[in-house]
Amino acid sequence: MAKAVKLPRTDRSIETYTLVGTPIERPEAAPVFNRIAYAAAHVVSDPWADTLPWNSPVIDWDATMAFRHHLWSLGFKIAEAMDTSQRGMGLDWTGAQELISRSLAEARTVPGADLACGAGTDQLPKQDAKSLDDVISAYEEQLGFIEKHGGRAILMASRALAHVAKSPDDYRKVYGRILGQAKDKVVLHWLGDMFDPELTGYWGGDRFEDTLLTVLSIITDHQDKVEGIKISLLDQAYEVELRRRLPQDVICFTGDDFNYATLIEGDGTRHSHALLGIFDAVAPQASKALAALANGDLATFRGTIEPTVPLSRKIFEAPTQYYKAGVVFLAWLNGHQSHFTMPAGMQSARGALHYADIFRLADQANVLDKPDLAALRMTALMTQYGFA
């Protein structure tokens, strides 16, 4: 019998929604892709110990590591301790250090597992940053920690740098110093202010073309230390232009959770690789699609991944920085964690209508892996809101 759930609508009525989706089958072994594919992974809070979730959230390390095994089993690399893990919005540098060290150790137990870790400056509150040297020291601390534990770095955008920098040359100085010290190649991260309003004016300019020139100059000057750059501006045209102008051996990673399907497929000449938060939520679908793309099966690639795009656009709708709530919501519906609570109480950042829309779109994109469980949990949540 088809599952049905009572869901609220914007007109203040309640509909009885009947599920229509079909879960995606799991591969027998981790598939091989012809795109580099990182899934930025969330963390699972521990509601049994999380007595001060706004100030001192506690992480359920067993569930958090189990989710990483889920991603590795589907062929993904993991972008660890990034924005999706609530860096700076629930997970501080102390928590990130434990997450990084645990994930690197866990990866060594899984044949073929790979990850890269976010290095930022979030241990330095922006109001305490008085100079570029303060920012450089904060970056050095985090990069040094990752390298000491045998990891590779994704150089995250810095709120402190955005606060103290006065010109594009200030960004060139800071990134030049850090890239010059890196042991291995790193991935740069161009994060738009829709993800973090405190990054407005990053790279020292307000116009895309001006900031693009700054980014390209940093990459060109330190090409031997830059594996690639993730661009998260939610504008396909901007990414295509960056991709077109990158040096040939520097990789463009899409962070565009609105347009990833077409950017990954490419235009026949160039394509983007992936470093995406949405892959946390739609990992089985993305894995099947990427495996099909690697086999030249464009019909399966498009038919599998394109239905996830409306879901992703809903999860990442403005205010975009709260997208983590939708990602964890789906992890809960799909049985990857036993509860829907988040560090800093982030689950409260979205409302019942938003979650109802995500539920419908996830079902229609075949993202609900366990429909019976998802229906049961959604009913419980809607009852809590008073809609059942």
Side-chain angles (χ1 to χ4, degrees):
M1 174 181 274
K3 277 68 66 177
V5 178
K6 292 181 179 179
L7 300 176
R9 301 175 63 93
T10 56
D11 64 2
R12 293 182 172 266
S13 65
I14 294 177
E15 72 163 327
T16 299
Y17 178 82
T18 301
L19 279 73
V20 297
T22 302
I24 296 288
E25 66 278 9
R26 295 295 191 273
E28 294 182 2
V32 177
F33 307 145
N34 63 352
R35 303 288 190 268
I36 300 171
Y38 284 94
H42 76 280
V43 295
V44 182
S45 67
D46 182 357
W48 290 88
D50 204 358
T51 55
L52 294 172
W54 283 11
N55 303 310
S56 302
V58 180
I59 303 302
D60 181 337
W61 293 113
D62 290 342
T64 295
M65 291 301 111
F67 192 79
R68 278 129 184 86
H69 281 273
H70 160 69
L71 294 173
W72 283 322
S73 74
L74 292 168
F76 292 103
K77 302 176 186 291
I78 291 175
E80 189 57 279
M82 297 289 292
D83 188 59
T84 306
S85 72
Q86 294 181 240
R87 282 292 290 273
M89 296 185 73
L91 185 73
D92 61 12
W93 171 232
T94 298
Q97 288 178 82
E98 186 167 3
L99 176 61
I100 289 166
S101 60
R102 283 177 177 267
S103 292
L104 286 169
E106 197 73 20
R108 288 190 279 272
T109 72
V110 179
D114 193 14
L115 73 161
C117 306
T121 66
D122 47 323
Q123 79 276 40
L124 174 67
K126 68 175 186 179
Q127 64 270 18
D128 294 341
K130 307 303 182 186
S131 69
L132 296 179
D133 286 338
D134 290 341
V135 177
I136 290 169
S137 295
Y139 267 131
E140 288 173 339
E141 178 187 349
Q142 295 204 13
L143 179 63
F145 180 87
I146 292 167
E147 291 181 340
K148 181 180 73 174
H149 286 82
R152 295 176 294 106
I154 301 168
L155 207 57
M156 300 171 67
S158 165
R159 293 175 178 174
L161 179 54
H163 178 66
V164 301
K166 305 301 182 186
S167 70
D169 285 339
D170 288 343
Y171 288 88
R172 293 187 186 98
K173 176 181 178 180
V174 171
Y175 278 85
R177 286 276 295 276
I178 302 306
L179 290 170
Q181 298 175 50
K183 293 180 181 178
D184 301 310
K185 287 189 173 184
V186 307
V187 174
L188 302 181
H189 191 185
W190 188 346
L191 190 67
D193 58 9
M194 68 289 294
F195 286 92
D196 186 346
E198 295 190 46
L199 299 178
T200 299
Y202 209 76
W203 305 115
D206 297 322
R207 295 176 60 251
F208 171 73
E209 181 62 28
D210 295 335
T211 52
L212 176 61
L213 292 175
T214 302
V215 171
L216 290 172
S217 70
I218 291 170
I219 292 172
T220 301
D221 290 345
H222 304 280
Q223 197 166 329
D224 61 327
K225 292 293 183 71
V226 178
E227 176 188 357
I229 179 168
K230 172 188 173 176
I231 178 169
S232 301
L233 299 184
L234 304 184
D235 188 311
Q236 182 167 310
Y238 288 164
E239 180 169 327
V240 169
E241 183 63 11
L242 169 66
R243 191 171 73 187
R244 183 182 71 82
R245 294 167 67 172
L246 282 175
Q248 187 170 1
D249 61 348
V250 175
I251 299 166
C252 182
F253 291 98
T254 186
D256 188 336
D257 299 280
F258 282 8
N259 303 293
Y260 53 91
T262 53
L263 289 162
I264 291 169
E265 180 176 335
D267 57 16
T269 302
R270 296 176 185 267
H271 59 260
S272 297
H273 297 267
L275 199 166
L276 287 161
I278 192 58
F279 279 3
D280 177 298
V282 301
Q285 295 70 31
S287 175
K288 179 179 178 179
L290 289 167
L293 183 64
N295 290 326
D297 183 354
L298 278 178
T300 298
F301 170 78
R302 293 169 180 167
T304 305
I305 203 166
E306 287 177 356
T308 70
V309 173
L311 168 64
S312 186
R313 291 184 176 189
K314 185 64 185 181
I315 291 173
F316 285 80
E317 72 180 359
T320 300
Q321 67 265 34
Y322 299 135
Y323 76 87
K324 296 90 165 173
V327 168
V328 175
F329 172 62
L330 287 174
W332 172 60
L333 291 182
N334 285 329
H336 294 293
Q337 54 193 79
S338 61
H339 57 86
F340 183 34
T341 65
M342 298 174 66
M346 180 71 73
Q347 70 276 5
S348 66
R350 300 291 201 185
L353 289 170
H354 180 83
Y355 291 127
D357 284 342
I358 288 178
F359 185 85
R360 296 182 186 96
L361 291 167
D363 173 50
Q364 293 158 19
N366 301 314
V367 170
L368 298 180
D369 297 333
K370 300 176 180 179
D372 288 329
L373 178 64
L376 181 67
R377 290 185 167 180
M378 191 63 180
T379 296
L381 182 64
M382 292 298 100
T383 300
Q384 178 183 335
Y385 280 112
F387 294 128

